Amino acid sequence: MLLNLAIRNYALIEDLKVSFKEGLTAITGETGAGKSILLGGLSLVLGKRADRSSLRDQEVRCVIEATFDINKYNLESYFALHDLEYDPITIIRREIHPTGKSRAFINDSPVTLEVLTPLGKRLIDIHSQHQTLQLTEQDFQLKVLDAFAGNKEILEAYQLKLSQFKKNQKDLEMLLTSQRQFYKEHDYNSFLLNELREFELEEGLQERLEDENNQLTNAENIIEFLSKGNQLLTDDQIGIVSLLQELNVVSSKLMGLGKKFEILKDRVSSVQIEVNDISEEMQSLQDEVVADPIKLEEVNQSLRQLYDLQRKHDTSSIEGLIEIKKELEVKLDTSEHLDSEINRLELNLKNLEDELTLLATKLTKQRRKAIPELKSKLEEFLNVLSLPNASFSLDLKTIEEFHKTGKDDLQFLFAANKGSEYLPIKKVASGGELSRIMLTIKAILASYSQLPTLIFDEIDSGVSGEISNKMGDIMLQMSQHMQVFTITHLPQVASKGDRHFKVFKTDEENRTKTQMKELSADERIVELAEMLGGKDLSDSALAHARQLLN
């Protein structure tokens, strides 16, 4: 329920603060007084997009703030979903800055319009004249029938299953695409993998091959250098081994002549042992190194193959090839997994389809059951609104596809007179008839679902005084269950309000501004009399106004 509305620096509104209560509130004013501006400002806090052109003073920000009692709307989960602080008395604020930048807040927390707009739709339903065209839309017609049939829980369950069904379909299509791609690349990937497997890749292989190639290529030089080194070590006259042997004998004679000579002897012995070991190693290496052109060609061939593989797979290391080999093995091993997962999803899809069909069938059954009573209610209300011969035919057809509302197509067919052919509403109903039908539907829905605050913007336009009187009665009846506003030019409707506000313009300091005030009992009589007979108040107009209020 809308409790308070404050608008500052918006269009012709300089600074407006107004409070509302439950029941039926009538809003009147001359054409051009600013009733549409009031609705425009309210629309901004409900999520409508804005720009700086709506600023009254282009140098000052516009602020619109609305306070709502949301205690009965079950919105806790919505607030939790968007990480907002829930308060039964919630304040929505919209700011438009001179730069054109717009900001929105819910209980002082900044939000995007994507968060604000769905909330706004659950708080206020502004029914303007052009929205009567909703009557011709199948989604709206199904929404009416489902509300009347009490299909809320079944429809929610159906839509949840439909979401799962579509996700399953998407996942299955992705896997089928992967499977097709897999089969397309299978032979090539198998060839690449076999090529890598044949090479027997292992870490360090490249370094070993390159080292072996280097030794085989330089075998003669290696043998020559090792031979010369060994000669320097083992020559009988000048060999290092012989000289160290003599040095060892000399250092042995120093033993027992002091601790430091013992240490010296140990060091000489260590050097002698190391040199002897080097000599043996050089001899062993010399025996191992052989100039082998055939082996060299084999090593070179292996290296060429390795370098070719690295270029083909765009890597510079043996580790990179090993990783690519593992990836190819995974790709080729996914075939069995893909088939299994596809089978699982196909089975799951079939189960979901069966569950959807069952829920869609329940929806259809409930809808067909509700159609006669809804038809009767519609015709009963229209009879009250001076359409005694109007009748409806609700054409419900089952289709093959799963739509967001089930497997039904619905069309409201209308005949305004006896014997007339039933045709779609948009083809046969006049503007006045559309208004009455929409009011009738809203009145019926008010008894079967929790509607938000309703604002009727001249829904009584184009109807006679007697019919408008009956429309006012219906709105008054609706207001017993919900908060209802009616913006009207008809005194018969305005007189039904529990409260009456007037929108008017004043000129101050060569500037026009829109204002709004709640009328007292005496002021209501004057306002209604002016609506009946113009500014020149007559006794009959005043008497008629009093009669309307009574």
Side-chain angles (χ1 to χ4, degrees):
M1 183 174 76
L2 178 62
L3 299 177
N4 302 296
L5 178 64
I7 301 176
R8 187 168 69 249
N9 195 41
Y10 176 73
L12 293 180
I13 298 175
E14 184 177 281
D15 192 0
L16 174 68
K17 293 183 178 67
V18 61
S19 297
F20 302 108
K21 297 180 180 178
E22 58 190 3
L24 177 62
T25 298
I27 300 175
T28 61
E30 295 180 357
T31 300
K35 299 186 294 297
S36 61
I37 295 174
L38 185 70
L39 282 182
L42 185 58
S43 296
L44 287 177
V45 295
L46 301 178
K48 180 183 175 183
R49 296 197 174 274
D51 57 66
R52 70 186 304 271
S53 64
S54 58
L55 272 62
R56 175 180 173 85
D57 184 339
Q58 296 290 316
E59 303 302 319
V60 180
R61 69 173 177 167
C62 163
V63 179
I64 303 172
E65 187 172 278
T67 306
F68 295 90
D69 181 349
I70 63 171
N71 192 46
K72 298 179 181 178
Y73 292 156
N74 300 318
L75 291 171
E76 290 87 346
S77 59
Y78 188 86
F79 276 67
L81 176 65
H82 297 287
D83 196 25
L84 295 170
E85 180 182 352
Y86 176 81
D87 191 326
I89 305 300
T90 281
I91 299 174
I92 299 177
R93 186 173 77 256
R94 191 79 183 276
E95 299 178 357
I96 306 167
H97 292 257
T99 60
K101 182 179 179 181
S102 169
R103 300 180 70 194
F105 301 85
I106 298 175
N107 292 331
D108 283 331
S109 294
V111 295
T112 63
L113 294 188
E114 286 70 23
V115 173
L116 176 60
T117 302
L119 177 62
K121 288 180 180 179
R122 296 174 69 172
L123 296 178
I124 292 185
D125 177 3
I126 299 178
H127 179 80
S128 58
Q129 287 175 282
H130 74 272
Q131 284 179 309
T132 304
L133 295 176
Q134 280 185 320
L135 279 171
T136 65
E137 299 172 0
Q138 178 177 282
D139 284 352
F140 179 77
Q141 294 174 358
L142 270 172
K143 183 178 178 181
V144 172
L145 179 56
D146 282 331
F148 190 80
N151 279 342
K152 184 174 183 289
E153 291 184 4
I154 301 176
L155 190 59
E156 287 176 351
Y158 170 86
Q159 290 172 343
L160 177 61
K161 287 294 178 189
L162 182 62
S163 175
Q164 295 171 352
F165 180 79
K166 288 183 176 180
K167 182 182 183 303
N168 203 109
Q169 274 186 322
K170 183 178 179 181
D171 291 345
L172 178 59
E173 184 54 41
M174 288 176 62
L175 281 182
L176 289 171
T177 300
S178 297
Q179 188 185 55
R180 289 190 291 269
Q181 187 69 20
F182 169 80
Y183 286 136
K184 182 179 177 180
E185 299 174 353
H186 178 270
D187 291 344
Y188 181 60
N189 286 336
S190 295
F191 167 76
L192 292 178
L193 181 60
N194 289 333
E195 193 176 44
L196 291 172
R197 281 175 172 169
E198 286 174 1
F199 201 80
E200 298 182 356
L201 299 168
E202 59 181 41
E203 291 185 8
L205 174 63
Q206 183 172 343
E207 289 78 5
R208 289 197 300 273
L209 287 172
E210 289 173 343
D211 185 60
E212 190 173 2
N213 175 70
N214 193 33
Q215 290 186 40
L216 288 168
T217 301
N218 298 283
E220 292 181 358
N221 289 334
I222 293 171
I223 292 171
E224 178 185 349
F225 297 146
L226 288 173
S227 176
K228 186 174 181 179
N230 202 30
Q231 183 180 1
L232 289 171
L233 288 168
T234 60
D235 186 271
D236 291 338
Q237 301 297 322
I238 61 170
I240 296 173
V241 172
S242 298
L243 293 174
L244 279 173
Q245 178 63 33
E246 292 181 16
L247 180 61
N248 192 39
V249 171
V250 171
S251 62
S252 296
K253 293 178 180 180
L254 293 171
M255 292 285 291
L257 299 179
K259 184 67 176 176
K260 57 186 178 181
F261 300 117
E262 292 180 11
I263 295 173
L264 181 63
K265 168 64 174 60
D266 290 341
R267 292 177 64 190
V268 171
S269 296
S270 295
V271 171
Q272 185 182 18
I273 292 170
E274 180 64 19
V275 169
N276 286 336
D277 187 60
I278 290 172
S279 175
E280 292 175 3
E281 179 71 15
M282 292 187 79
Q283 183 61 52
S284 175
L285 290 172
Q286 184 178 346
D287 294 341
E288 288 178 5
V289 177
V290 179
D292 188 344
I294 296 176
K295 179 65 174 176
L296 177 60
E297 178 56 31
E298 290 177 356
V299 171
N300 281 334
Q301 177 66 22
S302 296
L303 279 173
R304 283 194 295 271
Q305 289 178 358
L306 180 61
Y307 295 151
D308 287 343
L309 286 172
Q310 288 175 343
R311 281 192 296 272
K312 180 184 287 188
H313 294 283
D314 192 25
T315 183
S316 59
S317 66
I318 195 78
E319 290 78 17
L321 288 177
I322 292 172
E323 186 62 32
I324 290 167
K325 176 188 168 193
K326 291 178 180 177
E327 290 174 2
L328 287 170
E329 288 172 339
V330 169
K331 283 184 180 180
L332 290 169
D333 287 342
T334 56
S335 174
E336 184 177 345
H337 169 71
L338 272 176
D339 292 341
S340 173
E341 186 64 10
I342 287 171
N343 289 336
R344 185 188 71 80
L345 286 178
E346 286 176 340
L347 179 61
N348 196 39
L349 197 65
K350 179 64 172 63
N351 291 334
L352 285 170
E353 185 176 2
D354 291 342
E355 292 173 12
L356 272 176
T357 301
L358 182 62
L359 288 168
T361 301
K362 287 183 179 179
L363 283 171
T364 301
K365 183 178 178 181
Q366 290 284 93
R367 288 165 179 166
R368 292 197 183 282
K369 182 179 177 182
I371 283 175
E373 188 178 354
L374 176 58
K375 167 182 163 64
S376 176
K377 287 277 187 184
L378 287 168
E379 292 170 354
E380 178 185 333
F381 269 93
L382 290 180
N383 182 50
V384 172
L385 294 174
S386 301
L387 287 174
N389 297 319
S391 61
F392 283 89
S393 175
L394 277 62
D395 185 18
L396 188 71
K397 294 179 180 177
T398 301
I399 57 176
E400 291 300 319
E401 299 84 7
F402 291 115
H403 286 181
K404 64 180 181 180
T405 52
K407 297 183 71 174
D408 293 324
D409 276 340
L410 176 66
Q411 193 167 40
F412 276 35
L413 304 176
F414 179 70
N417 303 296
K418 287 183 178 180
S420 297
E421 181 183 1
Y422 285 108
L423 292 172
I425 291 177
K426 63 181 177 181
K427 291 187 177 181
V428 292
S430 66
E433 288 168 343
L434 283 173
S435 293
R436 281 177 272 182
I437 293 171
M438 178 58 88
L439 178 61
T440 292
I441 287 174
K442 296 282 187 181
I444 292 172
L445 289 180
S447 301
Y448 289 88
S449 61
Q450 178 66 54
L451 292 180
T453 291
L454 269 175
I455 298 179
F456 290 112
D457 183 15
E458 298 186 10
I459 195 173
D460 47 30
S461 178
V463 300
S464 67
E466 180 57 31
I467 296 173
S468 66
N469 188 55
K470 294 174 180 178
M471 292 179 78
D473 286 334
I474 291 175
M475 284 187 263
L476 184 59
Q477 181 182 344
M478 292 173 65
S479 71
Q480 295 175 10
H481 309 287
M482 58 192 298
Q483 187 184 39
V484 179
F485 290 82
T486 176
I487 299 174
T488 181
H489 285 293
L490 299 178
Q492 293 86 350
V493 175
S495 66
K496 305 291 183 182
D498 298 303
R499 279 156 301 282
H500 188 158
F501 286 82
K502 181 177 180 177
V503 179
F504 59 97
K505 289 193 295 187
T506 59
D507 294 324
E508 298 178 12
E509 300 177 356
N510 297 321
R511 294 195 71 180
T512 300
K513 65 179 181 180
T514 290
Q515 300 187 66
M516 181 178 181
K517 64 173 290 188
E518 183 173 3
L519 301 180
S520 66
D522 290 340
E523 288 171 333
R524 287 190 73 177
I525 292 172
V526 172
E527 175 68 8
L528 293 175
E530 288 182 353
M531 294 172 72
L532 286 163
K535 292 292 184 181
D536 298 327
L537 296 178
S538 64
D539 291 340
S540 61
L542 289 169
H544 191 183
R546 291 189 185 94
Q547 184 181 4
L548 285 175
L549 283 175
N550 291 330

